């Protein structure tokens, strides 16, 4: 599954795998794809450096990239404490009341509450880039549109390609005007932050809008047949995220959550602002239902919502409170019904791709079988 873009990056298969887990990203690259490590959870530069050191040792010399979350527009002089002070007290009470309703214990004494969602803030993302550019990353992706112009220039000066996610042709054109190298056309079906246009419609619209820039198809892709469809629509590769969550290399720290993913159907997700303040597809739970209830206070804008719920999410995950336990995941979760290694996922993807190509060749009368 080679395309012009995969050849340019030196990978065997035009499969780009986004994941928050270094072991998964490294396994994707070793399997012949392009592993992209999500950086948003790294609030300490030393932690990111530690995991990039590990990636260097475990990718077998294969290329990999980094995904950050930073806005194109810079806001000066705003600290995390300033943002925290903007959270209304009523929203804080709603969080505590919801946790109390489900009997969620506090974190054990002396144990930190876990990841604070500060990676959405620009100064944190910039500190991540200060670390990442000391490593031979080949791609920098941004999940909130085009990165600031100086970041694009900095990447290009180091020979690093820049990708940006787009949920509409209009967004894709803005990325092209900003000077990015790859557009990820992410359809409505995708996990995490996503727009309102489905992949089958979005991918060819973006291809037409930004050609000859390469486009990656994303959203609802978890089989080789779906990959073939993305390439048939004009994409030069696919961007997969959700499908890696149930791989054996993934580290969800929760067998209960893994079990929920394996049992979920494609209709068991919801596009909710409950996690970050922006619409993000995730497992539907009693937590998302509470935030989407019209009788509740409603969610806050990003990054306020993420800061508000970070400690609560840590408590839910720590104590594995099943009714509230969820994670960002796309509609492809309905196909994620068995734990497999990254290599097994790749084997299934490539076999499915070959089947799809053979089927089309037979329909077109080009098969030699």
């Amino acid at each position: 599954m080679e395309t012009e873009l995969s050849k340019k990056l030196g990978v065997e298969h035009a499969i780009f795998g986004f994941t928050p887990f270094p072991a998964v990203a490294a396994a994707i690259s070793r399997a012949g794809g392009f592993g992209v490590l999500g950086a948003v959870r790294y609030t300490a530069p030393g932690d990111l450096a530690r995991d990039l050191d590990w990636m260097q040792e475990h990718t077998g010399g294969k290329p990999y990239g980094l995904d950050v979350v930073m806005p194109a527009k810079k806001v000066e002089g705003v600290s995390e404490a300033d943002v925290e002070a903007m959270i209304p007290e009523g929203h804080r009470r709603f969080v505590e009341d919801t946790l109390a309703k489900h009997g969620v214990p506090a974190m054990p004494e002396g144990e930190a509450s876990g990841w604070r969602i500060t990676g959405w803030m620009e100064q944190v993302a910039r500190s991540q880039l200060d670390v990442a550019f000391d490593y031979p990353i080949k791609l920098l992706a941004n999940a909130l549109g085009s990165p600031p112009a100086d970041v694009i220039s900095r990447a290009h000066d180091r020979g690093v390609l820049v990708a940006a996610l787009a949920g509409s042709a209009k967004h894709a054109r803005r990325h092209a005007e900003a000077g990015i190298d790859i557009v990820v056309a992410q359809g409505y079906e995708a996990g995490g932050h996503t727009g309102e246009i489905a992949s089958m419609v979005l991918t060819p619209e973006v291809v037409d809008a930004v050609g000859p820039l390469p486009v990656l198809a994303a959203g609802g892709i978890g089989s080789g047949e779906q990959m073939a469809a993305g390439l048939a629509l004009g994409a030069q590769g696919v961007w997969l995220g959700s499908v890696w969550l149930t791989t054996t290399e993934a580290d969800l720290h929760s067998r209960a959550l893994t079990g929920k993913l394996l049992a979920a159907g494609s209709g068991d997700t919801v596009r909710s602002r409950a996690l970050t303040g922006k619409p993000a597809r995730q497992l539907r739970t009693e937590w998302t239902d509470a935030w989407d209830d019209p009788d509740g206070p409603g969610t806050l804008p990003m990054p306020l919502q993420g800061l508000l719920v970070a400690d609560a999410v840590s408590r839910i995950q720590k104590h594995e409170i099943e009714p509230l336990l969820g994670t960002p995941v796309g509609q492809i979760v309905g196909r994620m019904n068995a734990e497999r290694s990254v290599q097994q996922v790749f084997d299934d993807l490539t076999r499915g791709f070959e089947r799809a190509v053979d089927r089309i060749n037979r329909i077109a009368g080009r098969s030699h079988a």
Side-chain angles (χ1 to χ4, degrees):
M1 186 179 161
E2 285 188 334
T3 65
E4 184 179 343
L5 179 60
S6 67
K7 291 175 182 177
K8 183 175 183 178
L9 285 166
V11 295
E12 182 181 358
H13 303 296
I15 300 171
F16 294 72
F18 164 79
T19 174
F21 307 117
V24 176
I28 291 168
S29 290
R30 290 197 308 271
F34 191 97
V36 182
L37 178 65
V40 71
R41 68 190 181 96
Y42 294 98
T43 55
D47 292 342
L48 179 58
R50 176 202 63 215
D51 282 357
L52 289 176
D53 283 338
W54 188 94
M55 290 275 293
Q56 278 292 102
E57 296 173 4
H58 292 84
T59 49
K62 302 292 181 67
Y64 62 92
L66 192 75
D67 179 279
V68 297
V69 179
M70 63 190 310
K73 296 180 180 178
K74 187 171 184 177
V75 180
E76 299 281 0
V78 179
S79 68
E80 182 180 343
D82 294 331
V83 177
E84 286 264 18
M86 301 177 190
I87 297 174
E89 189 57 37
H91 280 73
R92 296 186 188 277
R93 285 197 302 272
F94 179 76
V95 168
E96 289 305 320
D97 290 346
T98 304
L99 295 176
K101 176 182 175 182
H102 291 273
V104 182
M107 295 295 285
E109 187 174 350
E111 184 170 333
S113 60
W115 172 44
R116 298 279 290 163
I117 307 179
T118 55
W120 313 112
M121 302 180 71
E122 183 184 355
Q123 62 266 34
V124 177
R126 285 185 176 275
S127 70
Q128 294 165 350
L129 294 179
D130 289 339
V131 172
F133 283 139
D134 286 336
Y135 293 82
I137 62 171
K138 299 299 182 186
L139 176 72
L140 174 66
N142 189 38
L144 280 185
S146 304
D150 67 297
V151 171
I152 297 174
S153 296
R154 192 176 172 192
H156 286 167
D157 288 346
R158 289 163 172 78
V160 177
L161 298 182
V162 180
L165 275 65
S168 71
K170 179 175 69 173
H171 293 155
R173 290 188 193 98
R174 289 178 188 164
H175 297 339
E177 292 166 359
I180 63 94
D181 306 288
I182 302 166
V183 175
V184 181
Q186 180 171 273
Y188 172 84
E189 308 96 322
H193 295 126
T194 186
E196 299 180 352
I197 304 173
S199 299
M200 185 64 73
V201 174
L202 179 67
T203 302
E205 283 189 353
V206 171
V207 169
D208 290 344
V210 302
L213 276 184
V215 172
L216 300 178
I221 300 175
S223 73
E225 288 83 357
Q226 291 166 320
M227 294 195 312
L231 268 62
L233 294 172
Q236 285 200 33
V238 293
W239 177 276
L240 309 183
S242 297
V243 73
W244 315 111
L245 289 172
T246 51
T247 57
T248 53
E249 292 91 344
D251 188 12
L252 288 178
H253 298 293
S254 171
R255 293 306 302 172
L257 180 54
T258 298
K260 289 188 75 170
L261 289 170
L262 295 173
S266 56
D268 292 329
T269 68
V270 63
R271 192 165 162 267
S272 170
R273 298 176 184 268
L275 186 61
T276 69
K278 283 185 175 291
R281 187 171 296 285
Q282 54 204 280
L283 280 181
R284 182 176 181 177
T285 67
E286 292 188 28
W287 179 254
T288 62
D289 286 349
W291 283 105
D292 295 338
D293 188 335
D295 292 332
T299 56
L300 298 171
M302 179 186 274
L304 298 181
Q305 183 72 13
L307 290 170
L308 169 66
V309 305
D311 290 346
V313 170
S314 292
R315 288 166 60 184
I316 292 165
Q317 292 174 343
K318 171 70 177 179
H319 299 289
E320 297 193 316
I321 309 300
E322 197 275 341
L324 304 179
L325 193 61
T327 186
V329 69
Q331 292 179 332
I332 197 63
V333 71
R335 295 182 65 101
M336 295 159 49
N337 49 25
E339 290 185 82
R340 299 173 292 168
S341 69
V342 168
Q343 185 62 60
Q344 287 173 320
V345 172
F346 258 81
D347 291 343
D348 287 346
L349 290 172
T350 53
R351 281 194 295 263
F353 179 78
E354 290 170 358
R355 284 195 302 269
V357 172
D358 288 345
R359 185 181 305 122
I360 295 301
N361 281 335
R362 287 197 301 272
I363 293 170
R366 297 193 181 103
S367 175
H368 298 291

